[in-house]
Amino acid sequence: MTDIDDLYRDVILDHFRNPRNHGRVTDPQISVEGVNPFCGDQIQLTAKVQEGRILDICVEGKGCSISQSSASMMTEALKGRTLARSQELVGQFKRMMLGNASGEDLPEELEDLAALEGVKKYPVRVKCALLAWNTVLEGISEFEKNGTSVVKQHTEE
Ligand code: ZN
């Protein structure tokens, strides 16, 4: 079990130290600031959407390793996906963090996210892990409602 824990810690730290898709996309259709007041995590998420697909997605932010690595892994998982598939993937990740699904139930696109399953043991940290996912979910639903560029704010409660 220790080997697996080490491996998972390495995955989390790697994404924390070298966040993927870091920064902001130009002329985003989705721009949402996500805040987790319980830990002080903050992210700015921007995404380029065309014909129902996330062409590009970037995050920049500050906060704990769980929140920032989860955001980094999320950008890798959602980039290039349709909005519908992205919403499904968010749902699947949330089922692992909040429900009975385990890391083994995750689809291929979310493979790396199994590294965060251990966070389930710490309910306060679950908010850190979910911040980016709830933030993108809010951006997508707002975008689908408006059909135009959206700027929003999301706060974990
Ligand atoms: Zn945090």
Side-chain angles (χ1 to χ4, degrees):
M1 210 46 209
T2 311
D3 288 349
I4 290 180
D5 286 348
D6 284 350
L7 179 73
Y8 283 169
R9 193 165 45 233
D10 286 350
V11 171
I12 292 168
L13 285 179
D14 178 44
H15 278 271
F16 180 54
R17 290 177 183 144
N18 311 296
R20 319 296 198 270
N21 305 303
H22 188 253
R24 294 182 192 218
V25 307
T26 45
D27 304 323
Q29 277 71 49
I30 295 175
S31 175
V32 192
E33 184 191 13
V35 178
N36 173 21
F38 297 92
C39 179
D41 308 312
Q42 185 262 329
I43 61 164
Q44 181 65 46
L45 178 144
T46 49
K48 193 109 201 134
V49 181
Q50 208 177 358
E51 291 168 3
R53 193 176 287 274
I54 297 178
L55 290 188
D56 203 3
I57 178 166
C58 283
V59 166
E60 61 182 16
K62 52 184 198 291
C64 69
S65 58
I66 303 291
S67 67
Q68 304 302 310
S69 66
S70 182
S72 170
M73 287 189 254
M74 184 194 74
T75 63
E76 284 199 314
L78 301 190
K79 194 169 175 172
R81 312 266 173 235
T82 62
L83 294 177
R85 182 63 182 149
S86 297
Q87 284 167 313
E88 275 172 26
L89 291 172
V90 174
Q92 276 162 321
F93 179 67
K94 288 179 77 168
R95 272 195 291 283
M96 177 183 81
M97 296 309 295
L98 298 169
N100 294 324
S102 84
E104 286 167 16
D105 300 324
L106 291 174
E108 214 186 330
E109 298 104 304
L110 297 181
E111 233 171 23
D112 286 353
L113 275 312
L116 291 171
E117 191 182 3
V119 174
K120 264 170 125 164
K121 282 178 284 188
Y122 313 98
V124 176
R125 309 310 301 279
V126 168
K127 291 182 191 297
C128 303
L130 288 181
L131 175 62
W133 302 78
N134 284 331
T135 300
V136 80
L137 204 56
E138 208 155 310
I140 291 174
S141 2
E142 192 70 12
F143 176 77
E144 289 195 317
K145 238 191 298 170
N146 293 344
T148 175
S149 298
V150 296
V151 179
K152 269 201 74 90
Q153 223 181 359
H154 165 78
T155 305
E156 288 293 319
E157 285 167 0

